[in-house]
Amino acid sequence: MESKRELPTCDVCQQPANQTCGGCKQVYYCSRSHQKQGWKDGHKTKCCPFKIQFTSALGRHMIATRDIKQGEIILKEKPAVTGPRMASTAHCLSCAKKLQPSMIEENLDYYKCPLCNWPMCSPECAKDEVHKNECKAMTGKGYKSSIKYDSPEKAEAAYCVIAPLRVLLMKESNTKQFENIMNLESHLDKRINTHLYNVLKINLVAFIKNVIGLPFKDETILQVASIFDTNSFDVRSPDGTKRFRAIYVTASMMNHNCRPNTRHIFVGKDYNIVILATVPIAKGELITATYTQSLWGTLDRRKHLKQTKCFDCECERCGDPTEFGTYLGNIYCSLCNGLFNDNGLSTGAMLVSTNTFDETAPWKCEKCDHYIQSRQMFWGNNALKQDLNKLNKSGPQELEEFIEKYKLTLHPRNHLIVQAKLALAQIYGNYEGYTLPELPNDLLNRKIEICHELLELADKLEPGWTRFRGTILLELQAAMSMQTKREFEDQKLTKTGAQDQLMQSMALLQEATNILRVEPHMVETLEAKVKELSNQLDTANSFPE
Ligand SMILES: C[S@@+](CC[C@H](N)C(=O)[O-])C[C@H]1O[C@@H](n2cnc3c(N)ncnc32)[C@H](O)[C@@H]1O
């Protein structure tokens, strides 16, 4: 016999109901008035287009409870706790600003909190609420920081105590939030015997127990450090002067995917996180973020995820030896190599991993029977990475030479070549001596060509409304507008041709604006760019036919 389906009931009066909340599609109401009442009674703070589920393979993760549109805000959340990074150069403990030493009593030193002696940016910050509890806990036990800062660029390990201390002090001051944080995944069992955690056992545990005298077990103290390592977001102010770690309890329920469907930004003076859908997300789909760099090859991404987040990524991209046909992490086969097409690019075949989920699996040529061991790939990759890191990136010359030097080994979309091209896209058009008006036509064309390549790559690896796409679109439209101006002045373009090209630039700028206008610090720049391009269009329109 068919079982009777239970009728949904109204969240307010528990009577049968047939209307759902439009925001989450999870809660039912019998009428419009009860929907309004439910909203006021507290649904307002709980309504969201996702739910948290659990599976043994993925742990807790976010699932869309309704279709989510591209660009839609999925979640806005305050940080549960913030703190300096594990090892940090001198940063203010309150506002997180990177500090510069100044002359204090004839010595180059930082301004320090008069009570606990940690470097701060000002007396106001020393008195700030964020710092109050830890300052009291330290000075109450007669502790004063005595770190000797050798250089403003040297990261100090002593900072590792601050963020865990803030969480542990919450047990008394904000018990609910303390429990929320302690409920997060830590992977302490996998981290506890690593070198870093052996150091923390000596420094952090001794500081919390012996110096501050807090009655926590060693394991609880290390668990907090491990919760930070697993869940915290790296937060930076738009101008790059402030940098810290923050835990957002709900946002940290987003699992990782190497082709994510969200991005996040931080807004307001409290650095609230805003999670945005970069592509349309269908009801029932996982809502994912990336914990690594999208422009790294699979070997590097999986290694980073294993080391920092303690899991083996088995997403679709990691499972595809060509990374959706981009060959981002691949190199040419040294036997098949040597043939070129008309553009001077190698037409050789690629070496691909025989099992991307096994980092020890050999790599094989797609055309011939040539194999190499995975460790050769690792070594080669690392050697070239070091080569790239050493380059002078204040100008284009060494980056262009790198691309030329490795064109027989690395595909034009190999991640190292892509990183060099990304740097070039910024240099051409922006750096001194290479600003758009100064750029010769061949370099202007080079910038445009690189921007197109990068956008194509982004479509495959991190599609949709990502910050990467928004930024490259801005670079491309600026270069294209300059190209149009020059071609029109050189009479290579008719008035209609110029108008058409400027309209294409405007379409790119519109898309960049749709992507980036949610970032408050971008609004002014975007408005200025729209105004500039509109003026250029008006000028073109005013020319006689
Ligand atoms: C920020 S937490 C995400 C929430 C976590 N799943 C939980 O249950 O608390 C990060 C951890 O989630 C797990 N995780 C995230 N993405 C994953 C994925 N794609 N596959 C397997 N585990 C994943 C890993 O254990 C990782 O260290």
Side-chain angles (χ1 to χ4, degrees), residues 9-21 27-39:
T9 53
C10 173
D11 205 39
V12 175
C13 66
Q14 279 71 53
Q15 294 303 307
N18 60 4
Q19 299 177 19
T20 51
C21 165
V27 177
Y28 285 82
Y29 297 101
C30 62
S31 61
R32 181 99 188 102
S33 66
H34 273 187
Q35 187 161 355
K36 276 190 184 164
Q37 189 178 327
W39 187 255

Side-chain angles (χ1 to χ4, degrees), residues 55-94:
T55 63
S56 52
L58 298 175
R60 288 165 290 188
H61 52 273
M62 259 185 206
I63 296 276
T65 51
R66 61 164 168 80
D67 292 347
I68 299 172
K69 292 194 205 91
Q70 182 173 47
E72 200 180 321
I73 292 177
I74 298 173
L75 168 71
K76 231 182 203 180
E77 189 185 10
K78 284 188 188 144
V81 62
T82 62
R85 297 181 325 135
M86 183 88 86
S88 174
T89 53
H91 274 66
C92 177
L93 292 190
S94 289

Side-chain angles (χ1 to χ4, degrees), residues 113-118 138-139 141-147 211:
C113 167
L115 301 175
C116 67
N117 213 37
W118 277 87
M138 290 189 275
T139 49
K141 297 288 172 184
Y143 171 82
K144 273 183 177 266
S145 166
S146 56
I147 311 166
V211 179

Side-chain angles (χ1 to χ4, degrees), residues 149-209:
Y149 294 89
D150 298 337
S151 117
E153 296 317 319
K154 187 175 164 250
E156 238 336 306
Y159 276 90
C160 73
V161 301
I162 299 294
L165 174 60
R166 285 183 182 173
V167 172
L168 294 167
L169 290 172
M170 274 184 187
K171 186 165 187 211
E172 293 294 316
S173 64
N174 189 347
T175 311
K176 182 89 194 83
Q177 198 66 293
F178 173 75
E179 283 165 5
N180 287 339
I181 295 170
M182 295 308 284
N183 238 334
L184 298 173
E185 177 65 81
S186 74
H187 290 303
L188 181 60
D189 54 334
K190 298 182 190 105
R191 299 188 198 270
I192 191 119
N193 291 321
T194 58
H195 172 69
L196 175 64
Y197 277 70
N198 281 331
V199 174
L200 286 181
K201 272 178 219 164
I202 300 164
N203 297 344
L204 172 65
V205 172
F207 180 81
I208 299 290
K209 287 176 66 166

